[in-house]
Amino acid sequence: MPSDLLQRPGRAAPAASRTAPKRCTRMFALAEARWAAAALALFLIALPLQLTGAPAWAWGPLYAAAYVTGGWEPAWAGLTALREKTLDVDLLMIVAAIGAASIGQVMDGALLIVIFATSGALEALATARTQDAVRGLLDLAPTTATRLAYDGSEATVPTEDLVVGDTILVRPGERVGADGRVLAGASEVDQATITGEPLPVTKETGDEIFASTLNGSGALRVKVERDASDSVIARIVAMVEEASGTKAPTQLFIEKVEQRYSLGMVFATLAVFLIPLAFGADLTGSLLRAMTFMIVASPCAVVLATMPPLLSAIANAGRHGVLVKSAVVMERLGQVDAVALDKTGTLTEGTPRVTDIHPLDGSGLTEDTLLAQTAAAEHPSEHPLARAVVDAARTRGLANADMRDFASTPGIGVTATVDGHTVAVGAPARLLDGDDTVSARTAEIAAGLEDGGRTAVLVLRDGVPVGVLGIADRLRPDATATVAALTTLTGSTPMLVTGDNPRAATRLAAEVGITGDEVHAGLLPEDKVEAVRRLEARGRKVLFIGDGVNDAPALAAAHTGIAMGRVGSDLALETADAVIVRDELATVPTVITLSRAARRLVVQNLVIAGVFISGLVIWDLVGHLPLPLGVLGHEGSTVIVGLNGLRLLRDAAWARAAKDMR
């Protein structure tokens, strides 16, 4: 056996990041962004020239250039769709802009082009950033691994060259190069990227281990059991790409009838123009009536009925710490009728904390003394449990005790000399070896803590048990209220899906009000996706809330995905449809309620727009609607609809949505 496996280093190598390395496509690396910026710049130069009374030759060419730079790509896309016998919205927007220019509204048409081009650029950027995050996830996997030959010699090889049956050496602080099983050695492995577990898991002979997870302070010899292309981390990447590519884009309500309406309006305008001509009407009158009809029947107010309420809701949510990435997402949020939640970092804070301190009778130690001596022994360690103990002592303002002779044994614990006493800290199952009364009492306390979902840490002084600490990931203060509010909103209890162990998951679920049937623990990323898809197969629109790399496939597969922003991985943040920037879980039911309010405003606006359009069209067809009055009625309805949609910008709208959930 290589000598590395026998080493028990006193300290782990510095921990690497749990999240994928950050890749970031620059805005102006995208052609769409460059064209949109050019159109905006030309518009901003032309507008003040026009408003200050400059001659048309000064600002006209600038507007024309804005039309070309901002409109040629959507125009080409629209013409391409037209060849496939589809009236694309891109082409309609360009035609509308040109139509505005043809009747003298050059500035209005240019503004339409600029807004449309900017929207396309933002959509392209969002797509590129998601692709960046997926590619960055692959960087979690090491590019090389140390392969062991039968004679014990070592060779550094690319991880893609590893085959099933190979044996690799994973040194302290390294990432595991392949999925496999431990043949020899012991260490704590941080596998949060795969399972979401908040604490490193002890790995010993016979235990399964995953590629890209981070090794702790011990060396491991691992037998490869899966090819690189079939590893869990590779499957996460594949699932995110598949889910993002196959999930049909949800259209806004109005877009579902937009094409039929637009086609109908085109044919109706031609009929209004041609039919009177066929019966002998004069050309000028027929053309004027047709132009008036085209204006009053234009779906401007109908289109505006949808976007302002949704965009206002997005802006309001953003001010209160929820980043909703698009109007489509804001609409989807109001449709959800089932919720699936991750545990670690979502319902919990994702950081282990000391929850219990139990000095043993006869030890002569108080809680503070026990914690201070334990923290002194743990201070050099980089294990998350050790950091939790040190942080607890610091929070209590306890003085640092004198410490020397620190040593760490992977899978067992640490020892040090503290104030002249030998202090050992570690797992009770590893440190307790007696059958006396003190050991029995200690084991009973430890078992009680573990039954309550905590990790028990035993403290020995000079070989005698003196206390037990309980460490757990703390529940978010608003978790219980959030689960109750989501239950009320959807009519069903949220489902807990987690990679953590069943005992911890069941305990936490009971605390927040999630029933046993809705608790699914020990799940890998593909299992979370399967759980979401089972719900959707029953006709449910599922909202998934998570934070880690292991949640990304489920975030992509769900009807709507929300990521926790403060602790969320880059991949989760890019894959999710919305991000809770301030990590306030209680904002989730509020933003759902706000989305439903926006949808109600959309319906109100459609009714208003429909009444105006119907009235003006009937007036034009039956009587004689003057063109200026038709324009006034059309623009008036557009203004009314727009102002009505802006009601959700007020803070009172958010406060009302939050109040409705209490």
Side-chain angles (χ1 to χ4, degrees), residues 164 178-179 210-211 225-236 526:
V164 175
D179 285 5
F210 302 112
E225 293 188 340
R226 294 191 191 94
D227 292 332
S229 61
D230 195 39
S231 68
V232 172
I233 197 73
R235 294 205 300 272
I236 291 177
E526 58 261 39

Side-chain angles (χ1 to χ4, degrees), residues 573-610:
L573 299 181
E574 296 293 348
T575 305
D577 299 303
V579 177
I580 306 174
V581 179
R582 301 172 189 165
D583 265 15
E584 297 172 354
L585 192 61
T587 57
V588 174
T590 304
V591 78
I592 292 174
T593 305
L594 189 68
S595 171
R596 294 181 179 181
R599 287 167 60 84
R600 289 193 296 271
L601 275 187
V602 168
V603 174
Q604 290 178 18
N605 283 346
L606 289 174
V607 171
I608 294 171

Side-chain angles (χ1 to χ4, degrees), residues 28-55:
F28 290 105
L30 301 172
E32 296 91 341
R34 294 195 295 271
W35 288 117
L40 176 61
L42 290 165
F43 178 82
L44 293 177
I45 295 172
L47 181 61
L49 291 175
Q50 181 187 15
L51 296 178
T52 54

